[in-house]
Amino acid sequence: MHLTKRTVLWSKFVRDFLAWKSPLSQSVADLVLRNGVIYTSDDSLPFADSMAVANGRVLRVGNHSFVKELVGYGTQVLDLGGKVVVPGFIDSHVHFIDGGLQMMQVKLRGVNKKEEFIRRIKDAAQSTKQGSWILGGGWNNDLWAGDLPAASWIDDVTPNNPVWLSRVDGHMGLANSVALMLAGITNLTDDPRGGTIMRTANGEPTGALIDSARTLVTSQIPEDSVDDRREALLRASNLALARGLTTVVDMGRYYPGFSTELSWEDFSDVYQWANSMSKMEVRVCLYFSMETWSRLVDVINKVGHALSEWIYIGGVKAFADGSLGSNSALLYEPYVDEPDNYGLQVTELEALLNMTLESDLNGLQVAIHAIGDKANDLILDMYGSVASTNGIRDRRFRIEHAQQLAAGTPGRFGKQRVVASMQPDQLLDDADSTSKKLGKDRAEKESYLFQSLLNNNALLAFGSDWPVADINPLSGIKTAVRRRPPTWESAWIPSECISVDDAIKAYTISAARVSFLDKDLGSLSPGKLADFVILSTDSWKDFAEEASASIEETYVSGVRAYP
């Protein structure tokens, strides 16, 4: 009896002690946000007004009375003043080092006159040492009535310098005559497999090179130094943070016909260096050429799927076709402006199938570039065959771009659970030109079918393909919602406009899910990394209707990274 009483007294003491101690034993937040409209991208609690962060992760989300319990000594409390907060944006498809390098080259994006094109190259030539390469990019011939630029445009202003200028889509470039001579390109040069040398009626090269033909010239350009590529990463990261991006999916510097080594060199020289030197500012998820799948398997076996909370290993990428802007996207019907041209299949199908089978069998995620309607169906067929051969698993096959889809194809994405990784802002450039290339009927039935994909339960993720389009998720959200090019008064294919909610998810939780990052990223859920953005608007209603706002602050792991 005496023992029982002592036990009861002891139990009461312990209970009372714990009750007294419990407020102190709870985690104390490093940062608490209050008085805001916090959109979480988490359907279990879509909105909250407060959030607590500790050790770089979300500790608690909800109303202020629930979150304020975690305020303690040293907690920073941030009154949002009613501002909207969203998860840090994820760009599902960039060429990050390339974009950073292009920031230091001749900028031709938005140029809409031949004379301005020539002037910018002339200005660059005047400040470039004789014999050095002049590099640039971003031109779009559709902005000046469609004629492709030619070496003859710029030869007179660049007599002593080789020139290489990439088209906005990254699938075509222009070389001047000095560069053509260095590359040994003449009227006798055959088109390489998967590429085209554009020629005059007399068979002379014009200077425009498509897809793998570009490597005839680009192989002559001196490699970018390690220091230049490291600086490119820092430049690109600063720009990304200013745009509200906290994670990017880097598809690397691998393009049809280009060396598969460039992405691996960036992995070792740039990303591993930045990680070891604590210079990473934006999280990256890296993809490599599918030709090097076995090498990636070895890396994952050694280090797993992440080097740190900054660097994730994604998977492998390959190409099925070219681009619509370069008339090299693979189509069922020919181009209206080139009746004998159905586009290019840039990788031989059997080789692509074998690489995909091996990559998938070894547990790698596969992403394949497909723009044309025929290319998309070919890859969906192949993905179905690979899944049937290798058996059931959570593979999250990706198609990058999924731009032109034939009738019934959106349903296949949903049924096969294939990711559509798309770039909304590219439709701003394509809205006018697609009708000219495909005809109005085909263009309006096939192009950028965001809502059709969502209606078919496809997993939709958004990105930019930077530097092809600007790296700007708020612009991409607005475009996906409104589908209105700058000179248009109404939407292009209004039935394919989507809600702000769906557009944000395509840049957050869905973007995380498609790269297997959703355990750590993509929503403001307890336990996930505290990456978030404070927007300029204090009205969710206005934002949902107009999709207009700007970035005020960007936080990574609960620490302000911009401005």
Side-chain angles (χ1 to χ4, degrees):
M1 184 73 178
H2 180 65
L3 184 63
T4 304
K5 187 176 180 182
R6 284 181 61 190
T7 303
V8 171
L9 289 170
W10 175 252
S11 299
K12 185 176 184 301
F13 171 79
V14 170
R15 189 170 63 249
D16 291 347
F17 177 79
L18 292 176
W20 167 78
K21 190 177 184 300
S22 59
L24 296 179
S25 63
Q26 284 184 341
S27 298
V28 174
D30 299 320
L31 172 68
V32 164
L33 280 63
R34 62 178 295 274
N35 187 28
V37 180
I38 300 174
Y39 175 87
T40 65
S41 284
D42 183 340
D43 287 341
S44 68
L45 182 69
F47 289 96
D49 63 30
S50 299
M51 180 173 69
V53 174
N55 299 317
R57 292 185 179 261
V58 176
L59 194 57
R60 189 176 287 186
V61 186
N63 59 38
H64 184 56
S65 60
F66 177 56
V67 171
K68 71 179 182 181
E69 298 173 0
L70 302 179
V71 175
Y73 180 75
T75 302
Q76 178 191 355
V77 178
L78 181 59
D79 188 328
L80 294 166
K83 293 285 174 66
V84 172
V85 171
V86 295
F89 294 121
I90 300 170
D91 191 312
S92 293
H93 187 125
V94 300
H95 303 277
F96 210 46
I97 307 299
D98 239 1
L101 289 168
Q102 280 197 27
M103 289 172 76
M104 299 301 289
Q105 298 172 1
V106 182
K107 295 174 179 62
L108 298 170
R109 185 186 302 279
V111 171
N112 58 8
K113 290 180 180 165
K114 174 182 176 180
E115 294 75 19
E116 176 64 12
F117 183 99
I118 296 169
R119 186 192 69 75
R120 293 195 186 190
I121 305 309
K122 181 180 180 180
D123 288 350
Q126 289 173 348
S127 60
T128 303
K129 190 170 70 174
Q130 185 171 320
S132 294
W133 280 82
I134 296 170
L135 303 174
W139 59 268
N140 182 358
N141 50 300
D142 295 322
L143 298 181
W144 60 70
D147 291 338
L148 287 175
S152 58
W153 287 20
I154 56 175
D155 279 346
D156 287 347
V157 298
T158 57
N160 302 311
N161 298 88
V163 178
W164 177 250
L165 308 168
S166 294
R167 191 181 185 277
V168 66
D169 60 357
H171 287 263
M172 184 190 292
L174 175 69
N176 70 346
S177 291
V178 177
L180 291 174
M181 184 179 67
L182 281 173
I185 298 173
T186 69
N187 58 353
L188 300 176
T189 307
D190 292 331
D191 287 350
R193 194 158 101 182
T196 304
I197 300 169
M198 300 299 288
R199 304 170 195 270
T200 65
N202 298 326
E204 294 296 324
T206 67
L209 305 172
I210 298 175
D211 283 314
S212 65
R214 296 172 302 153
T215 61
L216 299 173
V217 167
T218 59
S219 61
Q220 304 300 312
I221 300 172
E223 288 190 12
D224 297 292
S225 70
V226 172
D227 285 344
D228 284 345
R229 288 182 285 130
R230 289 174 178 175
E231 183 60 34
L233 171 64
L234 300 179
R235 270 198 306 272
S237 298
N238 289 333
L239 176 61
L241 289 168
R243 300 290 170 80
L245 284 159
T246 54
T247 302
V248 298
V249 177
D250 186 4
M251 294 293 172
R253 291 192 295 145
Y254 169 64
Y255 306 98
F258 279 48
S259 169
T260 60
E261 284 300 305
L262 297 178
S263 296
W264 285 103
E265 289 169 4
D266 290 341
F267 177 54
S268 58
D269 296 342
V270 181
Y271 285 121
Q272 287 185 309
W273 164 82
N275 192 52
S276 66
M277 300 294 287
S278 300
K279 290 185 178 291
M280 291 296 295
E281 298 175 8
V282 171
R283 305 186 205 283
V284 296
C285 182
L286 305 176
Y287 285 71
F288 299 84
S289 163
M290 200 192 296
E291 293 173 40
T292 64
W293 66 265
S294 61
R295 192 165 166 187
L296 188 59
V297 170
D298 290 341
V299 169
I300 291 171
N301 286 338
K302 287 175 185 170
V303 303
H305 283 276
L307 269 63
S308 66
E309 289 181 349
W310 294 101
I311 299 179
Y312 297 86
I313 306 298
V316 290
K317 179 178 178 212
F319 289 83
D321 65 346
S323 77
L324 199 69
S326 298
N327 283 25
S328 56
L330 188 63
L331 304 173
Y332 283 115
E333 302 295 331
Y335 288 85
V336 171
D337 53 348
E338 287 187 50
D340 295 325
N341 180 15
Y342 291 77
L344 283 174
Q345 185 176 305
V346 300
T347 310
E348 199 271 318
L349 204 58
E350 186 178 357
L352 193 57
L353 172 61
N354 290 334
M355 287 191 296
T356 303
L357 277 165
E358 291 295 339
S359 299
D360 179 70
L361 193 61
N362 283 274
L364 298 177
Q365 188 187 23
V366 173
I368 297 180
H369 163 119
I371 287 181
D373 50 12
K374 185 174 182 179
N376 276 277
D377 282 349
L378 282 174
I379 299 310
L380 286 167
D381 290 345
M382 189 185 74
Y383 279 163
S385 172
V386 170
S388 176
T389 300
N390 287 349
I392 296 171
R393 75 177 182 89
D394 182 12
R395 40 177 52 92
R396 304 183 204 182
F397 277 145
R398 298 171 58 131
I399 289 183
E400 303 303 311
H401 310 303
Q403 185 176 317
Q404 307 301 135
L405 302 181
T409 301
R412 296 186 64 192
F413 273 84
K415 187 177 179 182
Q416 293 181 222
R417 303 303 297 154
V418 172
V419 171
S421 170
M422 304 181 75
Q423 299 75 39
D425 269 351
Q426 291 189 22
L427 75 78
L428 299 176
D429 289 327
D430 291 341
D432 287 311
S433 61
T434 303
S435 292
K436 296 173 187 172
K437 292 176 181 295
L438 304 183
K440 190 171 186 291
D441 184 59
R442 220 181 351 157
E444 295 195 351
K445 286 179 178 175
E446 288 194 354
S447 305
Y448 296 92
L449 303 183
F450 305 143
Q451 189 61 57
S452 294
L453 286 159
L454 289 173
N455 289 344
N456 283 279
N457 297 314
L459 194 53
L460 178 66
F462 282 161
S464 63
D465 201 10
W466 186 65
V468 171
D470 194 14
I471 188 166
N472 190 341
L474 282 178
S475 175
I477 288 167
K478 188 172 186 175
T479 299
V481 170
R482 302 182 70 185
R483 295 179 71 101
R484 194 178 304 166
T487 59
W488 288 41
E489 292 184 1
S490 57
W492 183 41
I493 324 177
S495 61
E496 295 298 332
C497 294
I498 65 174
S499 69
V500 160
D501 181 66
D502 283 331
I504 292 176
K505 282 178 176 167
Y507 274 109
T508 55
I509 187 59
S510 295
R513 194 168 288 137
V514 304
S515 290
F516 291 90
L517 301 176
D518 44 318
K519 287 183 180 177
D520 274 336
L521 303 171
S523 64
L524 296 175
S525 310
K528 289 194 179 185
L529 290 162
D531 298 350
F532 59 90
V533 177
I534 302 174
L535 301 181
S536 57
T537 181
D538 58 5
S539 170
W540 177 261
K541 183 175 180 290
D542 290 350
F543 184 53
E545 289 175 0
E546 297 297 323
S548 289
S550 59
I551 305 296
E552 290 216 337
E553 297 180 21
T554 303
Y555 284 72
V556 181
S557 294
V559 176
R560 193 176 73 175
Y562 169 84

